[in-house]
Amino acid sequence: MGPGGPRRRPRCCSRWRAGRCCPRCRTPGAEQRAFAAAPRCPAPGGGDCVLDTPLTVVGKDHRAGKGETWRLRLAGADGAAHRPELPDGDSLFKAPDGSAVTAEFWHGALVALRLDGVRQETAATPSGLHRLPLGLGLAAAAAAAAALWQALWLGRWSRHNPLRRPWQLRAVREAAIALAAAGGLAGAVDAPGTPALAVLSVLGAPVLLAAGARTVLLRRRDRSCLVDVPAVPPPGRVSVPGAVSGPGAPPRTLGHLFLVADRGTLSTALDGGLAARPYPAPLVVERVRRPFRDDPVTGTGRRPLTVECREADSGAPVLLALDAPDAPALLAALRA
């Protein structure tokens, strides 16, 4: 309740701040424009206008720590008490007790204070309510565009590139992350309005292009899925995280998460050698490549590789999945 009796307050103001907006509520941008265009009230109860009311500072409340807040305790001539929250501890918060301030009420909310030519808006002002939704919208638009492109690529052109992580998807994903970050940061900047926020989000275009070009230049040159693994001397017994798929592979329910290679033999183990189970047939390494989407097993590292093998006796295909840094030592132990 503001000065001059009960005043109409749109439900959307409080509902927007509480995150429970209904379809009948005004958007944050419309709320801000209505506040900026509101005239001064000629008298209390004047409708959609800003009412100037004299108040007196009677105290201050400062809560430090996480979520720091600054509140003034004000009193009106009619004895009504107000505790507006200020954005910082400078300016009007330093006004001594007993100071006469002019309060601006809009739809019953104390939205700003004035003292000696200094004006400071309170936390109840609708100014800037559009920043967070706009920033989230810009970020969501970039993510949605990337998801749409990936779905289109997977549906129409994926048969030409079986790689699990093709550059055609990585380039768009990295670019979308850059653009989404630019949009989110634009929503957090104290910009004067929507055009300025749009300009700030567009400033992320160089980062967007750089991220996409980087991936394209790194990946498009190498159209082959094969990977060259440097040869190293046989290191003896090697145990690395990985998985195996083939006729003699253990069931996945056993939880064998390690590959153990020693003098040309392969085993799987629970933890670097615990309860090792030898593969029933000797293996012949054929090639090393990047993972395909239809591989039954895939490495979980940041640089997964797939080693194609075959059983020496039956010729049945066997796949080993591991991380790239572990590949040289494992292959050397298998070929020993």
Side-chain angles (χ1 to χ4, degrees):
M1 179 180 297
R7 300 185 58 80
R8 295 176 298 170
R9 176 181 173 85
R11 294 181 180 178
C12 55
C13 299
S14 59
R15 291 194 177 188
W16 266 110
R17 294 192 181 93
R20 303 187 299 271
C21 183
C22 64
R24 294 175 298 174
C25 295
R26 288 190 291 192
T27 63
E31 192 79 0
Q32 180 176 345
R33 289 190 295 271
F35 171 65
R40 298 293 171 179
C41 296
D48 192 7
C49 56
V50 178
L51 177 64
D52 290 342
T53 304
L55 299 177
T56 302
V57 178
V58 296
K60 304 177 183 67
D61 295 325
H62 177 217
R63 186 180 68 181
K66 188 176 181 179
E68 189 173 14
T69 59
W70 299 268
R71 290 183 180 273
L72 280 180
R73 284 187 279 127
L74 307 174
D78 57 355
H82 304 274
R83 295 181 65 249
E85 181 180 346
L86 300 179
D88 53 55
D90 298 327
S91 191
L92 295 184
F93 188 76
K94 296 182 178 179
D97 294 351
S99 300
V101 299
T102 301
E104 298 180 7
F105 285 88
W106 186 65
H107 291 299
L110 202 166
V111 295
L113 295 171
R114 300 198 310 270
L115 175 63
D116 297 334
V118 178
R119 183 179 182 274
Q120 187 174 27
E121 294 185 344
T122 69
T125 178
S127 299
L129 286 180
H130 68 287
R131 296 190 193 108
L132 179 60
L134 181 59
L136 293 178
L138 291 171
L148 179 62
W149 164 256
Q150 293 192 14
L152 180 64
W153 189 91
L154 288 172
R156 297 195 59 181
W157 301 296
S158 61
R159 64 183 182 276
H160 302 301
N161 192 335
L163 291 178
R164 185 179 183 88
R165 299 179 180 180
W167 68 265
Q168 292 95 334
L169 298 184
R170 290 190 57 196
V172 177
R173 183 170 65 248
E174 291 186 8
I177 292 174
L179 186 59
L185 292 176
V189 172
D190 188 12
T194 301
L197 287 176
V199 170
L200 287 175
S201 65
V202 172
L203 292 179
V207 181
L208 163 73
L209 296 176
R214 168 187 170 276
T215 303
V216 171
L217 292 176
L218 290 178
R219 294 295 182 185
R220 196 168 187 175
R221 297 175 184 173
D222 185 11
R223 296 180 179 273
S224 174
C225 63
L226 300 181
V227 177
D228 292 329
V229 178
V232 298
R237 189 174 185 271
V238 177
S239 177
V240 298
V244 59
S245 173
R252 295 185 182 181
T253 54
L254 293 181
H256 284 208
L257 304 178
F258 281 80
L259 301 176
V260 182
D262 186 13
R263 295 189 296 273
T265 62
L266 178 72
S267 303
T268 59
L270 292 175
D271 186 8
L274 181 64
R277 174 175 174 170
Y279 195 87
L283 300 179
V284 177
V285 178
E286 293 190 333
R287 64 175 188 170
V288 183
R289 59 171 172 81
R290 291 193 287 269
F292 291 165
R293 287 189 298 277
D294 57 354
D295 286 345
V297 290
T298 306
T300 58
R302 298 188 61 181
R303 297 168 54 197
L305 292 179
T306 297
V307 181
E308 291 186 359
C309 307
R310 59 179 174 83
E311 294 184 358
D313 300 333
S314 63
V318 178
L319 295 182
L320 306 180
L322 70 164
D323 202 16
D326 302 327
L330 183 77
L331 294 179
L334 284 177
R335 291 167 174 163

